[in-house]
Amino acid sequence: MVSCILASRMQENAWELKIFHVNSSMGLIHIEVLDGLLDEVDEVEDLHATDGLASPCEDFLLDIDFAGKVSVLAPGLCQGSHSRNPSSESQSPGLSGSSNSAIGISDSSTVTVQDFEYKNDSLNKTEKHGLQAAVRRKKRCRTPLQGTCLDSQDFKEFDDDENPLLSDLLLSNQKGKSSIEACKVGSFLREKRLRKPTQRYIEEFSNKKSKYLKGRGKFSSGDAVTANDKGLKMRSHGDLHNVRPKTLSAVSEEELLSGTKIQEVPLVRGKRGRPKKHVSVPQIEPDEEHFTSESEDDSVTKRRCKSHDRRKHQRMWTLTEVMNLVDGISEYGVGRWTDIKRLLFAASAYRTPIDLRDKWRNLLRASCAHKLKKKEMEERQGHAVRPLPKSLLRRVRELAKIHPYPRERGVKSIGEDDPSTLPTSSKGAPLSVGRKNNVRRKNCT
DNA sequence: ATTAGGG
DNA sequence: CCCTAAT
């Protein structure tokens, strides 16, 4: 025996509550019209007004079973109540992209509500019909079960909602109070459940989605990350194969600086990944350029070795990159990350200015650490290959002296004003280190 | 829109 | 790398 409350909206402010007692074994339907007419339906009005659903015959279906467990199928609650059921989660249409506004009626509930209509006279037949329809809709809303109607299972499935609030609510409903509360609670619950989409989550979600699409053959334009991840494959079969086999080092600098490298290949890169959409400089991706061999492999292997998804897209910093960075810093100063990025890293669309800064931070740390404990460092280099050439480290230290990165605690132990370290850039390229262009010189002690 | 700082 | 607050 199952019973079900149907709150139907008769007029503007008139609501009618009906209880269906359904005896599933005998196929009987007993209808009981509670004193309906609710007056203070303002909230409901608003609720519908906001959704453009304010048509004069909308019904809310509330169902209960006799065991005392209660579940409510009210607008919006549908989503909440069945999202709890693991088997039906994937089917729920309302979960997909709907707004997380507190008073948005979910798609599913919309379906449930909108085309459920009947005349309030001639109850017997139409009621049954309507009820069946409602059940069917419920099923559609949750899981495509087999189509037997009026099985007590159908109702039971909604009962895994153990929320005591709901039972209270429904009880009060039976006593003839308003069903507004249902809506309120419904929206409340929904609000609770839909909390915090989180940038990260969204990104991952869209990522999965696009991957899925790709798998289906639809090549969704862009999506830098996945594109990068699949970079090897894609390039291997051809399309963006502008990659000239470079000498893998040093080239990028002059070319970039002289601007000869600025080309206009309309890359299909989405704005989602690292690259900022702000493109003041025609950014071409020869990015694999000198990384095709090492960095790409690095990242790939890394991803394979450890598939822990922290650090989503991680690209190893190559030596040339680091050198570029150091050069840039020494030229433009610390803190001009955007400039450096624009001028020296136009080639690599990943590497946001923040990345540069982070890398610089790490470099500083490294250099300091290098100074502090040599032996341990060497130890570590034993098991982790980090070929940071001394010359580079020295340059880092110099730069650290000139424009110390604010708030770097280990930095204090730099060479302590050793003039010999300054001009002795063995690699030449003393660059403009001497001229600290208008960089606030803070002593980092 | 960028940067600094922390995780 | 990522996220957030501050500018």
Side-chain angles (χ1 to χ4, degrees), chain A residues 174-403:
Chain A
Q174 291 191 47
K175 286 173 199 152
K177 288 177 91 179
S178 69
S179 66
I180 303 169
E181 314 236 345
C183 300
K184 278 185 188 169
V185 176
S187 59
F188 169 72
L189 287 180
R190 229 175 317 137
E191 187 176 19
K192 250 192 160 172
R193 282 184 184 139
L194 291 187
R195 224 182 224 320
K196 199 189 182 189
T198 301
Q199 189 81 13
R200 182 90 173 216
Y201 174 79
I202 293 177
E203 280 198 3
E204 288 181 18
F205 186 75
S206 64
N207 229 345
K208 271 180 197 165
K209 216 163 143 191
S210 59
K211 263 183 193 165
Y212 179 76
L213 285 183
K214 262 185 204 166
R216 278 226 157 343
K218 233 177 244 174
F219 196 86
S220 78
S221 71
D223 191 290
V225 183
T226 40
N228 266 344
D229 290 347
K230 319 260 182 195
L232 276 172
K233 284 180 213 156
M234 287 168 49
R235 270 199 314 280
S236 66
H237 75 258
D239 13 75
L240 39 142
H241 195 79
N242 297 343
V243 192
R244 298 169 290 180
K246 278 292 185 175
T247 49
L248 193 85
S249 68
V251 275
S252 50
E253 264 186 66
E254 301 88 353
E255 277 194 87
L256 284 177
L257 284 177
S258 58
T260 48
K261 248 211 161 91
I262 317 275
Q263 303 160 15
E264 62 294 325
V265 178
L267 246 279
V268 259
R269 205 169 256 266
K271 40 203 81 179
R272 235 211 74 263
R274 308 285 67 252
K276 298 276 192 177
K277 59 183 165 192
H278 143 276
V279 254
S280 57
V281 174
Q283 293 199 3
I284 158 74
E285 332 289 322
D287 52 38
E288 298 4 313
E289 198 86 311
H290 35 274
F291 309 132
T292 30
S293 56
E294 43 180 345
S295 123
E296 186 91 40
D297 290 2
D298 277 342
S299 61
V300 167
T301 49
K302 189 162 198 161
R303 204 163 280 118
R304 269 179 203 153
C305 283
K306 290 189 165 189
S307 61
H308 55 38
D309 293 316
R310 299 297 297 167
R311 274 99 166 118
K312 274 310 186 194
H313 7 256
Q314 172 113 270
R315 291 192 93 115
M316 275 316 194
W317 275 77
T318 64
L319 186 62
T320 59
E321 273 181 307
V322 173
M323 275 162 48
N324 266 350
L325 176 62
V326 171
D327 286 345
I329 289 177
S330 67
E331 220 186 311
Y332 300 102
V334 170
R336 319 273 304 256
W337 306 116
T338 353
D339 292 340
I340 299 176
K341 194 261 187 289
R342 215 177 32 239
L343 290 160
L344 294 184
F345 283 80
S348 27
Y350 48 93
R351 302 308 182 216
T352 70
I354 330 178
D355 292 335
L356 301 190
R357 180 186 55 94
D358 286 340
K359 185 55 182 175
W360 174 246
R361 219 184 343 181
N362 288 337
L363 279 180
L364 276 188
R365 222 200 307 275
S367 70
C368 292
H370 191 266
K371 265 228 148 189
L372 287 181
K373 307 184 176 184
K374 255 189 178 176
K375 293 201 170 181
E376 289 189 5
M377 279 305 296
E378 287 179 8
E379 251 183 46
R380 290 188 184 179
Q381 275 188 2
H383 61 68
V385 194
R386 184 162 54 216
L388 273 188
K390 300 209 169 198
S391 58
L392 200 121
L393 270 177
R394 259 221 321 276
R395 286 191 68 192
V396 170
R397 279 203 300 276
E398 292 169 13
L399 285 175
K401 260 208 295 201
I402 301 176
H403 14 242

Side-chain angles (χ1 to χ4, degrees), chain A residues 28-247:
Chain A
L28 274 179
I29 296 186
H30 189 70
I31 297 169
E32 190 179 318
V33 179
L34 289 182
D35 73 81
L37 309 204
L38 313 169
D39 312 53
E40 68 284 42
V41 281
D42 287 358
E43 272 97 341
V44 183
E45 289 285 309
D46 291 347
L47 209 130
H48 284 284
T50 56
D51 286 280
L53 273 178
S55 72
C57 199
E58 298 161 32
D59 301 340
F60 296 158
L61 193 61
L62 322 169
D63 53 3
I64 55 179
D65 75 349
F66 265 10
K69 283 177 103 187
V70 180
S71 83
V72 177
L73 183 68
L77 254 170
C78 178
Q79 169 181 343
S81 65
H82 69 65
S83 76
R84 204 173 280 254
N85 190 340
S87 68
S88 65
E89 206 154 308
S90 50
Q91 272 92 3
S92 126
L95 275 178
S96 57
S98 59
S99 68
N100 30 355
S101 75
I103 41 170
I105 293 191
S106 69
D107 297 334
S108 48
S109 60
T110 304
V111 173
T112 307
V113 167
Q114 70 188 8
D115 50 359
F116 184 66
E117 59 181 35
Y118 61 96
K119 315 293 184 196
N120 44 340
D121 41 17
S122 75
L123 284 178
N124 246 345
K125 259 163 78 174
T126 335
E127 296 288 47
K128 181 166 181 176
H129 202 71
L131 186 57
Q132 287 185 358
V135 172
R136 273 202 304 272
R137 269 178 211 112
K138 278 197 302 185
K139 282 203 239 171
R140 197 194 316 160
C141 172
R142 358 187 15 259
T143 159
L145 272 180
Q146 58 280 9
T148 58
C149 58
L150 285 192
D151 186 8
S152 59
Q153 264 306 106
D154 287 335
F155 294 89
K156 277 262 169 66
E157 281 180 9
F158 287 85
D159 293 340
D160 49 358
D161 205 336
E162 70 290 349
N163 200 332
L165 228 60
L166 289 184
S167 51
D168 285 351
L169 175 91
L170 205 71
L171 284 181
S172 67
N173 249 343
Q174 291 191 47
K175 286 173 199 152
K177 288 177 91 179
S178 69
S179 66
I180 303 169
E181 314 236 345
C183 300
K184 278 185 188 169
V185 176
S187 59
F188 169 72
L189 287 180
R190 229 175 317 137
E191 187 176 19
K192 250 192 160 172
R193 282 184 184 139
L194 291 187
R195 224 182 224 320
K196 199 189 182 189
T198 301
Q199 189 81 13
R200 182 90 173 216
Y201 174 79
I202 293 177
E203 280 198 3
E204 288 181 18
F205 186 75
S206 64
N207 229 345
K208 271 180 197 165
K209 216 163 143 191
S210 59
K211 263 183 193 165
Y212 179 76
L213 285 183
K214 262 185 204 166
R216 278 226 157 343
K218 233 177 244 174
F219 196 86
S220 78
S221 71
D223 191 290
V225 183
T226 40
N228 266 344
D229 290 347
K230 319 260 182 195
L232 276 172
K233 284 180 213 156
M234 287 168 49
R235 270 199 314 280
S236 66
H237 75 258
D239 13 75
L240 39 142
H241 195 79
N242 297 343
V243 192
R244 298 169 290 180
K246 278 292 185 175
T247 49

